[in-house]
Amino acid sequence: MPLADKLRPQQIDDMVGQSHIIGEGKIINKLIENKNIPNMILYGQAGTGKTSLANIIANATGKKYVKLNAVNCGVKEIKEVIDSTKRDLFSYNGIILMLDEIQALNRKQQQSLLEVIEDGSVTLIASTADNPYFVVYKAILSRSTIFEFKAIEKKDILKGLNRAVEKLKVLYTYESINVEAKALEYIAETCNGDMRSALNKLELVFNVGIDIASNSVNITLNDVIDCSSVKMLNYDKGGDDSYSALSAFHKSLRGSDADASIHYLARLVKAGDIQGITRRLLCVASEDVGLAVPQAITITEACVASALQLGFPEARIPLAQATIYLAQCPKSDSAIKAIDSALSDLDNIETGDIPLHLKDAHYAGAQNLGRGVEYKYPHNYPYHYVEQQYLPDAIKNKKYYIPGENKNEISFDTYWKNLKNIK
């Protein structure tokens, strides 16, 4: 049995992390104390305690515990397990069905759970690493309480590792088990908030550190480094983690924080999501920098083209160039505000017909319809400008574009105000 399973918490006080929902006076503790467990969806990355909590709840409430993995079961298997366990219903206080990876069930398979969770004979505790609002059938969501399991903080990982070392001293009869504090700190730092991963690393280095001659175990920082693989990041393309990373990247660029922007770029580069990166950069160049620096879109497009041509790992260089450049550019959202306001009017108010003098007049009979007759050609006038109505009558005084407070837009705005005031 893997060390992570040997050391799986047996009671709520043994769990580490999730202090927002677990601990004295917190909601999970109160539910267990009252033995009134609702249907739950436990959402979060692997190794954060979802399965352990389901075990603890079942043990604490005296309910029969049945575990299934949605990856390798369907409607038939779910019903068979539920029907077989119902024979034991009177021997227990009910049944807890722990369903791992509920996102693997399709809509029809998820609907098959409704009957048993509605009649109260089965309490569903489902787990998923994906955002449940994206992957779980709404009828199940409405009948369940969602608890988010967050990555476990380093201090809590260390607490769990030190507890594991003490239990190892009980499990094994070695003369001594010596573990450098820095070795545990390194494991806690590189396990990415995953307690199971941390325990697996501890088990590996424990086996490496066995000295048969002295009947002892010695674990050093160098041993841990030698046994460690590359730190894995949480990033599932098309999943909640990827959208969050892209969102943080975009918002950091918009917020003009070059350091945060580079950090999130590094996450996206590590995940190899070049398409996601380039789309966000191009969007920021127009949505958030816009007319404050009109050439930003051209520079960004050149960096994006270079990155796509180079591919990783070299693509990281022009992507970093574009990222730092956009983060430091003055910002203006005047362009997106203008187009969104115009689109909103098209959906919500009567905007009227295009003025006759602006309509196409390049065909025989157009003048008979009055089209283009009164159009004034601006290049025939001083400064290539003449005052005339362009918007439809219904919205002729509408103002969509409001210049941003930046040097470029202020300069153009001043130019046109001065020109239009010339008599």
Side-chain angles (χ1 to χ4, degrees):
M1 183 184 293
L3 181 62
D5 289 326
K6 288 180 182 179
L7 303 182
R8 189 178 292 281
Q10 298 303 309
Q11 52 189 10
I12 196 69
D13 292 338
D14 293 334
M15 290 196 66
V16 295
Q18 314 314 325
S19 58
H20 60 296
I21 54 174
I22 296 174
E24 187 177 353
K26 298 296 177 65
I27 184 170
I28 295 295
N29 292 59
K30 288 182 177 180
L31 290 173
I32 292 175
E33 288 169 9
N34 297 333
K35 300 186 186 299
N36 188 10
I37 309 300
N39 298 307
M40 298 180 179
I41 296 176
L42 310 181
Y43 151 52
Q45 72 176 65
T48 52
K50 300 188 295 295
T51 302
S52 294
L53 179 62
N55 289 334
I56 291 168
I57 289 174
N59 293 333
T61 56
K63 294 179 182 289
K64 183 175 178 64
Y65 181 55
V66 180
K67 183 178 178 181
L68 290 175
N69 192 307
V71 173
N72 51 29
C73 74
V75 175
K76 181 181 177 182
E77 289 79 8
I78 293 172
K79 287 186 174 180
E80 284 178 353
V81 169
I82 291 172
D83 289 341
S84 65
T85 55
K86 279 185 176 180
R87 292 194 295 268
D88 301 322
L89 193 58
F90 297 104
S91 303
Y92 296 88
N93 296 323
I95 298 167
I96 287 181
L97 172 61
M98 175 60 184
L99 187 61
D100 272 336
E101 312 294 343
I102 189 174
Q103 78 281 355
L105 296 181
N106 60 35
R107 182 187 177 97
K108 181 179 178 182
Q109 290 169 329
Q110 290 188 35
Q111 284 177 321
S112 69
L113 296 169
L114 288 177
E115 180 183 346
V116 292
I117 66 175
E118 282 183 330
D119 66 19
S121 60
V122 173
T123 300
L124 174 68
I125 301 182
S127 71
T128 177
D130 296 336
N131 191 323
Y133 293 100
F134 296 164
V135 297
V136 178
Y137 181 45
K138 288 183 180 179
I140 292 179
L141 284 177
S142 67
R143 292 164 174 79
S144 306
T145 302
I146 298 173
F147 294 102
E148 181 177 4
F149 277 57
K150 300 178 181 179
I152 303 176
E153 295 181 9
K154 179 183 175 181
K155 62 180 179 64
D156 291 322
I157 294 285
L158 274 172
K159 180 180 177 181
L161 288 172
N162 280 304
R163 185 184 296 168
V165 170
E166 293 305 312
K167 288 189 176 181
L168 284 171
K169 292 177 180 179
V170 175
L171 288 171
Y172 297 95
T173 57
Y174 294 104
E175 291 292 330
S176 63
I177 297 177
N178 305 302
V179 184
E180 286 185 1
K182 288 184 178 180
L184 295 184
E185 287 184 8
Y186 185 86
I187 294 174
E189 186 72 44
T190 58
C191 70
N192 199 35
D194 184 333
M195 191 70 232
R196 185 188 297 113
S197 173
L199 290 172
N200 288 340
K201 288 182 180 181
L202 176 62
E203 181 177 27
L204 175 61
V205 76
F206 179 88
N207 292 329
V208 170
I210 296 172
D211 186 341
I212 297 176
S214 63
N215 192 33
S216 65
V217 179
N218 298 289
I219 299 175
T220 67
L221 174 60
N222 287 335
D223 293 332
V224 175
I225 293 173
D226 289 341
C227 292
S228 295
S229 56
V230 177
K231 180 181 176 183
M232 298 300 292
L233 292 176
N234 291 323
Y235 194 92
D236 179 19
K237 284 189 178 180
D240 196 33
D241 290 328
S242 64
Y243 288 125
S244 292
L246 287 166
S247 176
F249 179 53
H250 192 142
K251 289 170 181 173
S252 298
L253 286 166
R254 178 185 294 148
S256 303
D257 190 324
D259 296 314
S261 300
I262 282 290
H263 169 76
Y264 292 115
L265 173 66
R267 290 192 180 207
L268 295 164
V269 168
K270 199 77 171 174
D273 189 4
I274 194 168
Q275 294 298 328
I277 297 168
T278 55
R279 288 184 72 255
R280 290 290 175 152
L281 288 172
L282 289 169
C283 186
V284 168
S286 290
E287 178 182 352
D288 301 295
V289 176
L291 294 171
V293 186
Q295 66 269 30
I297 185 66
T298 304
I299 294 171
T300 303
E301 193 171 25
C303 289
V304 164
S306 297
L308 293 174
Q309 186 174 358
L310 288 168
F312 285 132
E314 289 82 1
R316 74 190 190 283
I317 305 168
L319 292 176
Q321 178 183 350
T323 295
I324 295 171
Y325 172 71
L326 290 174
Q328 293 189 326
C329 276
K331 303 299 189 292
S332 173
D333 62 350
S334 59
I336 188 174
K337 280 185 174 179
I339 186 60
D340 284 352
S341 178
L343 288 168
S344 177
D345 279 357
L346 290 174
D347 290 335
N348 298 292
I349 66 173
E350 180 57 52
T351 56
D353 195 17
I354 297 171
L356 279 174
H357 62 282
L358 298 183
K359 289 190 174 183
D360 178 32
H362 292 87
Y363 57 92
Q367 289 190 356
N368 296 333
L369 297 174
R371 300 191 174 187
V373 174
E374 297 181 6
Y375 174 63
K376 298 174 184 177
Y377 188 57
H379 296 300
N380 290 337
Y381 296 85
Y383 306 105
H384 305 271
Y385 171 76
V386 62
E387 185 177 352
Q388 64 183 323
Q389 181 181 326
Y390 291 97
L391 281 170
D393 289 339
I395 56 170
K396 64 181 182 180
N397 296 318
K398 196 77 177 183
K399 188 76 172 174
Y400 290 115
Y401 169 59
I402 308 298
E405 296 178 354
N406 57 79
K407 182 179 179 181
N408 187 70
E409 289 183 88
I410 289 172
S411 175
F412 278 119
D413 187 48
T414 301
Y415 169 82
W416 285 110
K417 282 180 178 177
N418 291 335
L419 181 58
K420 290 176 182 180
N421 286 331
I422 294 176
K423 301 298 182 182

